[in-house]
Amino acid sequence: MGPALASDTKRLPLSAETRPLVAVIEDDYRSSLALTMLIDDWGYACIAARSSREAIRTLGVRMDQIAAIVTDIEIDGQMRGVVDALAIASTLGRPIPTIVTTGHGDYVADCKPFPVIRKPFDPDILHAWLVQKLGYR
């Protein structure tokens, strides 16, 4: 990350407590690691979890700080990603920008109401979505 510029005020807060927090729900360790590294490199705070319950438990009092969710549709062999994202939003009592990743083209219709990116995907697509939803670069 380069030096902050006066015109780049949305990038100035760099501590994990002040950066927009992105929850990654992904049960595949390598995919989770790759996503969290990318998201962190882009300047966002990031938490990885294997389910919505794990995300809620891990975040504790910071739960209300979730700004966006990136979730795989298939969690532990079940189509749980959308359900998990909706569970987090329900727990918080507000909608949360969410994008679903999938390597299963047949399940795209099951991702409604969220947008879908198919694996493998160009990281720039995810980055552009985060910038659009969170207004943070």
Side-chain angles (χ1 to χ4, degrees):
M1 192 175 339
L5 304 174
S7 64
D8 196 8
T9 57
K10 289 187 178 185
R11 187 84 189 234
L12 290 176
L14 297 176
S15 73
E17 292 75 29
T18 57
R19 296 181 291 163
L21 179 61
V22 178
V24 172
I25 302 174
E26 171 63 69
D27 62 341
D28 179 77
Y29 175 76
R30 290 179 296 171
S31 295
S32 178
L33 182 62
L35 282 169
T36 56
M37 288 174 65
L38 279 171
I39 291 167
D40 184 67
D41 284 350
W42 294 330
Y44 300 92
C46 191
I47 180 74
R50 292 178 53 90
S51 68
S52 60
R53 279 177 278 186
E54 184 178 315
I56 292 166
R57 185 177 61 250
T58 301
L59 284 166
V61 296
R62 290 189 63 208
M63 184 69 187
D64 64 330
Q65 295 175 11
I66 292 179
I69 298 171
V70 178
T71 183
D72 188 9
I73 190 171
E74 186 176 337
I75 305 293
D76 291 329
Q78 298 179 8
M79 299 299 118
R80 300 252 346 130
V82 171
V83 172
D84 281 353
L86 292 170
I88 291 172
S90 177
T91 298
L92 293 178
R94 64 178 168 85
I96 300 171
T98 299
I99 193 163
V100 178
T101 66
T102 182
H104 306 284
D106 298 343
Y107 300 127
V108 172
D110 297 332
C111 298
K112 291 180 182 179
F114 305 119
V116 178
I117 50 179
R118 291 187 181 162
K119 297 177 186 177
F121 57 85
D122 180 343
D124 289 340
I125 295 169
L126 177 58
H127 188 212
W129 180 85
L130 286 168
V131 169
Q132 177 194 16
K133 294 299 180 183
L134 304 182
Y136 186 83
R137 301 171 212 266

